[in-house]
């Protein structure tokens, strides 16, 4: 629990990372930052997709449309939170000279996106007659 709180504090005070270990090669820190930005772009795309489903698929029943939109929006929120958490964890690991952290999140996000895309393909091909 203490480690979780400490990790959350680093989200808002990243200068504290400098208190740990040695400064890594700047190329690695910049690559970590580029990965962070890529995760944020993915989060924005998911959020935009969620709003698009909610606004531009009015023929779908309310429950289906809402479930698809919420799945994409929640995935976007989780992706944004995961981005900052992963950035902090990677930066700490690099400063300490440890292996980079691994996560199941990319697999879970991929499966969630695939499920949402499959549901949209089914609706597109077969329509939704209620």
């Amino acid at each position: 629990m203490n480690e979780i709180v400490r990790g959350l504090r680093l989200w808002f005070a990243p200068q504290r990372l400098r208190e740990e270990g040695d400064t890594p090669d700047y190329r690695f820190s910049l690559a970590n930052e580029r990965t962070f930005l890529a995760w944020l772009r993915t989060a924005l795309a998911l959020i935009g997709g969620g709003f698009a489903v909610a606004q531009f698929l009015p023929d779908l029943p309310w429950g289906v449309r809402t479930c698809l939109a919420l799945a994409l929006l929640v995935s976007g929120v989780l992706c944004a939170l995961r981005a900052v958490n992963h950035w902090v964890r990677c930066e700490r690991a690099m400063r300490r000279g440890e292996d980079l952290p691994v996560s199941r999140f990319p697999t879970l996000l991929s499966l969630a996106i695939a499920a949402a895309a499959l549901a949209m393909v089914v609706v597109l091909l077969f329509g939704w007659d209620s």
Side-chain angles (χ1 to χ4, degrees), residues 53 56-57 59-60 64 68 116-129:
V53 166
F56 300 118
L57 296 176
D59 294 338
L60 284 180
V64 173
L68 284 174
L118 187 61
M120 289 181 201
V121 167
V122 168
V123 168
L124 199 86
L125 289 177
F126 301 108
W128 192 278
D129 297 324

Side-chain angles (χ1 to χ4, degrees), residues 11-129:
W11 288 17
F12 302 101
Q15 69 274 10
R16 288 186 176 182
L17 284 171
R18 293 184 179 158
E19 297 169 2
E20 296 186 29
D22 299 321
T23 301
D25 187 335
Y26 289 110
R27 293 175 292 178
F28 299 130
S29 291
L30 293 173
N32 190 27
E33 190 171 310
R34 284 191 299 274
T35 304
F36 168 74
L37 294 172
W39 279 108
L40 286 184
R41 284 191 298 273
T42 303
L44 287 172
L46 289 167
I47 291 168
F51 277 114
V53 166
Q55 293 297 314
F56 300 118
L57 296 176
D59 294 338
L60 284 180
W62 179 85
V64 173
R65 188 179 61 207
T66 302
C67 284
L68 284 174
L70 283 177
L72 290 170
L73 291 169
V74 169
S75 295
V77 169
L78 292 175
C79 194
L81 294 174
R82 193 267 183 189
V84 69
N85 185 45
H86 190 71
W87 177 82
V88 167
R89 291 173 54 209
C90 285
E91 199 66 27
R92 286 177 76 188
M94 287 189 298
R95 293 190 71 84
R96 292 176 176 177
E98 298 173 351
D99 290 336
L100 294 180
V102 294
S103 172
R104 292 186 183 106
F105 185 80
T107 302
L108 296 175
L109 182 63
S110 297
L111 292 174
I113 291 172
L118 187 61
M120 289 181 201
V121 167
V122 168
V123 168
L124 199 86
L125 289 177
F126 301 108
W128 192 278
D129 297 324

